[in-house]
Amino acid sequence: QVQLVESGGGSVQAGGSLRLSCAASRSIFSINRMAWYRQAPGKQRELVAAITSGGTTNYPDSVKGRFTISRDSANNTVYLQMNSLKPEDTAVYYCNAIMTLTKIYWGQGTQVTVSS
């Protein structure tokens, strides 16, 4: 089992930056994949960034070049650096950890609001 605690959300103007943190309760190298998802009001939850235990990352086109996922193994923390934020990036952002296909964990979410 793993607990995930997100932090770093807030309000920012368009063009600004935020960094989200996700602290895991166990070694992140024991987790097959960690990721960030977001969910805007009335929309489905969508993937915004992922990193595997081997360090492979992937991003959807909507955030590629603006968002960067990284990790700090010493602190069991995964980060999401978000630059050039747009109003359409406004959402609740969730940290996700996949141990196996049947062991998937979520954080409580953190609000990101981007004003124009």
Side-chain angles (χ1 to χ4, degrees):
Q1 193 172 4
V2 58
Q3 284 77 46
L4 304 171
V5 179
E6 301 111 332
S7 61
S11 297
V12 64
Q13 289 191 327
S17 298
L18 282 173
R19 188 178 79 158
L20 306 183
S21 300
C22 172
S25 61
R26 61 184 294 165
S27 169
I28 57 177
F29 288 119
S30 69
I31 301 171
N32 283 326
R33 191 195 79 161
M34 294 195 70
W36 288 95
Y37 285 75
R38 68 186 179 189
Q39 187 166 22
K43 295 189 176 181
Q44 288 189 329
R45 192 171 295 190
E46 62 175 355
L47 176 72
V48 294
I51 186 166
T52 68
S53 57
T56 301
T57 59
N58 72 284
Y59 308 89
D61 289 343
S62 58
V63 306
K64 198 172 292 183
R66 300 189 299 121
F67 290 12
T68 302
I69 189 170
S70 62
R71 61 188 179 184
D72 177 354
S73 58
N75 292 303
N76 295 325
T77 299
V78 173
Y79 302 99
L80 182 68
Q81 178 67 44
M82 304 185 293
N83 298 329
S84 301
L85 283 161
K86 305 175 181 180
E88 52 263 44
D89 294 318
T90 295
V92 178
Y93 284 69
Y94 296 91
C95 184
N96 166 271
I98 297 178
M99 303 291 293
T100 67
L101 289 178
T102 58
K103 293 182 179 179
I104 301 172
Y105 303 94
W106 294 91
Q108 81 283 359
T110 186
Q111 177 70 46
V112 171
T113 302
V114 184
S115 58
S116 57

